[in-house]
């Protein structure tokens, strides 16, 4: 995690921030409805495909249902913060110009059945005692979206995205965590 942060953010990170990055990498390794990137890599490796090509087959699976939602969530939450939008302005903008908010919503999890991965990441990130403007904004969005439908929660993709943004990672690097995993 320290090397990754130096390469991608050009700064030394604390041991606590490194632990947070390590947890994100572990979540990224086995994530998504089909875990397509991991599955493609494993299948290729089982077929005696050399490691470089097996990993490449997994990387090609990164898209909106495996890894791509992290980048999209990061892009739009960053846009909202940089544009000094209120939560209401952001939701109206998204509805008019983009569609559903990436990083918000889950098929199974809801406010009554929360995602433990999200709770763990949010709790650990807050324990660092640093400013988390993207995370706090995303949680405010969740407060409004869950009044409309109980499964419109901040999902693990959105959580990973906003935490990495708050740690100083550029949006373009967010899919890199799925490549790494």
């Amino acid at each position: 995690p320290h090397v990754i942060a130096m390469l991608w953010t050009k700064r030394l990170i604390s041991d606590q921030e490194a632990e947070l990055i390590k947890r994100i990498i572990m979540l990224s390794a086995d994530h998504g409805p089909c875990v397509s990137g991991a599955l493609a890599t494993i299948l290729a490796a089982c077929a005696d495909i050399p490691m470089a090509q097996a990993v490449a087959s997994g990387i090609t699976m990164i898209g909106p249902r495996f890894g791509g939602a992290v980048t999209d969530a990061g892009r739009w939450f960053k846009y909202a913060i940089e544009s000094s939008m209120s939560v209401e302005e952001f939701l109206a903008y998204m509805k008019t110009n983009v569609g559903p908010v990436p990083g918000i919503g889950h098929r199974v999890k809801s406010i009554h059945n929360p995602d433990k991965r999200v709770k763990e990441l949010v709790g650990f990130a807050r324990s660092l005692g640093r400013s988390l403007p993207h995370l706090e904004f995303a949680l405010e969005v969740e407060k409004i979206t869950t009044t409309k439908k109980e499964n419109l929660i901040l999902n693990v993709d959105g959580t990973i995205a906003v935490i990495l943004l708050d740690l100083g990672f550029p949006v373009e690097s967010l899919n890199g965590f799925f490549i790494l995993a």
Side-chain angles (χ1 to χ4, degrees), residues 28-91:
S28 301
D30 186 28
H31 171 68
C34 301
V35 198
S36 54
L39 181 61
T41 302
I42 291 165
L43 289 173
C46 288
D48 281 338
I49 303 296
M51 183 170 37
Q53 287 115 319
V55 170
S57 71
I59 289 171
T60 61
M61 299 306 295
I62 294 171
R65 299 193 43 94
F66 179 76
V70 176
T71 298
D72 288 344
R75 180 178 299 115
W76 292 111
F77 282 117
K78 182 177 180 172
Y79 175 78
I81 295 293
E82 287 179 348
S83 302
S84 301
M85 292 179 157
S86 69
V87 172
E88 294 79 11
E89 290 170 329
F90 173 65
L91 289 172

Side-chain angles (χ1 to χ4, degrees), residues 14 35 45 54-55 72 81 88 108 129 131 133 147 155-156 160 166 168 173:
S14 70
V35 198
V55 170
D72 288 344
I81 295 293
E88 294 79 11
V108 178
S131 174
T147 63
N155 62 37
V156 72
I160 289 171
D166 286 335
S173 73

Side-chain angles (χ1 to χ4, degrees), residues 118-138:
V118 171
K119 287 178 108 33
E120 173 63 28
L121 283 175
V122 169
F124 194 82
R126 284 179 165 167
S127 77
L128 299 178
R130 59 176 290 143
S131 174
L132 302 165
H134 295 91
L135 175 60
E136 297 306 331
F137 184 83

Side-chain angles (χ1 to χ4, degrees), residues 158-181:
T159 304
I160 289 171
V162 294
I163 287 173
L164 289 172
L165 288 174
D166 286 335
L167 290 178
F169 284 84
V171 170
E172 299 78 26
S173 73
L174 301 184
N175 270 351
F177 283 85
F178 286 84
I179 295 169
L180 254 165

